[in-house]
Amino acid sequence: MATIGAPLLQAKEGSPRGPLERREERLAWLMLLPVILALLALGVYPVLSTLWFSFQQGGSFGLGTTSAGLANYLRLLHDDQFWSALRFSLLYSLVTVCGQMICGTALALFANRSFRGRWLARAAILFPWAIPTATNSVIWAYMFNDQYGLVNSLLEHLGLVNPAHPIVWLGSAQLATLLIYVLAIWKANSLVALLVLAGLQGIPEEVYEAARVDGASRWQTLWRVTLPLLRPVLLVTLILRTIESLQAFDLISAFTNGGPGNATQNLGLYIYLQIQQFGDFGYGSTIAVVLTAITLVFIVLYMRTLLRTGTR
């Protein structure tokens, strides 16, 4: 029967399509056309235009530019402010992503347990993510203001700070950097918790029952059962958080605007200053191309790890 069915199947596949099938195909392409055009307009064109601008100089806001060759890329090598922003971007990504992954996973494990009021705890966990990033940053900036901020007021009432010498939270490079790390971790660990919680819901209860039968403790179950099964979810979450952290802009812009000085200025904010403040599309695009390349390197490394995990 397989011998008879094979030629019939091949003949059916090789037979010319009828008018109805051709009309359905044209309709399908017609319906996909808006999506394809949107992807080209919002994805491909900005990438190509940014790459083209990175080889231009002069003009204002991208108008009247002339070819610069590799001059903008050579300029990066001697730009101390660029290297400072790059160091801060990489350190910001490392600290905040690690903090978000650890805190978010811990919150997901807590929210996955059965207890009274679990729905309220899950809603509270998602609360920071529900507030817009810029709004969060502005609120924190007011809270840590050295003159009328809530934090200094509480410390003064407790007698821990002299009112004549308040703590200048955002005037110190170390304190401002630390607060940005804390804000970024507090803001995004909710998303990590949500994604990890979804992964936890997909783990069968029979797996935990088998671990209990084998005499595994809670700590052993976490390390030997839960985390290995969550590895694909954790890697995808890690990719998403790394991309966002490297391209962070609104959180830093609304909180410290890169200050004090340039202590908290990352590449996203430096690109904005080059284009918006100085109107230098060429140099700003060059920095954007470098940032995109760095992001792609992380994505490739993570994807190789994810694919290697999936083949085991």
Side-chain angles (χ1 to χ4, degrees):
M1 183 175 295
T3 307
I4 298 174
L8 292 176
L9 182 59
Q10 292 175 1
K12 185 177 180 180
E13 291 179 349
S15 61
R17 292 172 299 171
L20 179 60
E21 293 178 345
R22 288 195 295 269
R23 284 198 300 269
E24 289 179 348
E25 183 179 357
R26 286 196 295 267
L27 178 61
W29 280 109
L30 185 62
M31 296 180 68
L32 287 173
L33 184 60
V35 178
I36 296 173
L37 293 177
L39 290 175
L40 292 175
L42 301 177
V44 178
Y45 174 74
V47 171
L48 295 179
S49 62
T50 301
L51 185 61
W52 182 81
F53 274 123
S54 69
F55 295 100
Q56 307 297 311
Q57 67 179 0
S60 179
F61 292 97
L63 301 176
T65 57
T66 58
S67 178
L70 297 175
N72 289 325
Y73 291 93
L74 294 176
R75 176 181 170 185
L76 285 178
L77 300 177
H78 307 285
D79 187 353
D80 294 335
Q81 195 170 349
F82 163 76
W83 291 107
S84 175
L86 175 60
R87 284 192 297 270
F88 180 81
S89 293
L90 295 177
L91 187 60
Y92 171 86
S93 179
L94 175 64
V95 174
T96 60
V97 171
C98 289
Q100 291 163 9
M101 295 297 295
I102 295 173
C103 295
T105 302
L107 288 175
L109 292 170
F110 168 74
N112 192 52
R113 302 184 63 179
S114 298
F115 57 91
R116 179 176 296 181
R118 183 174 62 174
W119 66 271
L120 184 60
R122 291 182 176 181
I125 288 173
L126 294 177
F127 179 74
W129 183 253
I131 304 176
T133 302
T135 304
N136 262 325
S137 299
V138 172
I139 292 174
W140 277 56
Y142 276 105
M143 287 174 53
F144 287 95
N145 185 278
D146 60 314
Q147 298 297 325
Y148 48 81
L150 174 63
V151 176
N152 272 345
S153 297
L154 290 175
L155 293 176
E156 291 172 6
H157 283 298
L158 294 174
L160 300 177
V161 172
N162 187 348
H165 302 285
I167 300 176
V168 187
W169 296 98
L170 302 182
S172 168
Q174 292 78 13
L175 290 177
T177 302
L178 178 62
L179 288 177
I180 284 181
Y181 293 160
V182 175
L183 172 58
I185 295 173
W186 177 81
K187 175 69 176 70
N189 64 9
S190 300
L191 177 63
V192 176
L194 179 63
L195 296 174
V196 175
L197 181 60
L200 289 170
Q201 297 292 312
I203 299 177
E205 183 63 28
E206 292 79 6
V207 176
Y208 294 111
E209 292 179 359
R212 286 192 292 268
V213 170
D214 291 339
S217 64
R218 289 186 177 181
W219 189 254
Q220 291 173 330
T221 302
L222 173 64
W223 282 101
R224 301 292 180 87
V225 178
T226 304
L227 292 182
L229 292 175
L230 284 176
R231 187 176 301 168
V233 175
L234 292 174
L235 283 173
V236 171
T237 306
L238 184 63
I239 293 173
L240 296 176
R241 296 313 312 151
T242 302
I243 294 174
E244 194 280 334
S245 64
L246 289 173
Q247 300 176 354
F249 172 76
D250 48 355
L251 183 146
I252 297 175
S253 176
F255 190 38
T256 64
N257 199 28
N262 296 322
T264 60
Q265 180 176 266
N266 69 336
L267 288 179
L269 187 57
Y270 192 41
I271 293 170
Y272 173 80
L273 292 176
Q274 291 297 322
I275 295 177
Q276 184 66 26
Q277 183 173 340
F278 305 113
D280 193 344
F281 259 66
Y283 193 55
S285 298
T286 304
I287 303 172
V289 170
V290 173
L291 178 58
T292 303
I294 295 173
T295 305
L296 288 175
V297 168
F298 280 98
I299 293 175
V300 170
L301 292 176
Y302 289 153
M303 289 302 296
R304 289 187 62 183
T305 305
L306 179 61
L307 293 174
R308 192 180 303 117
T309 302
T311 56
R312 290 179 180 176

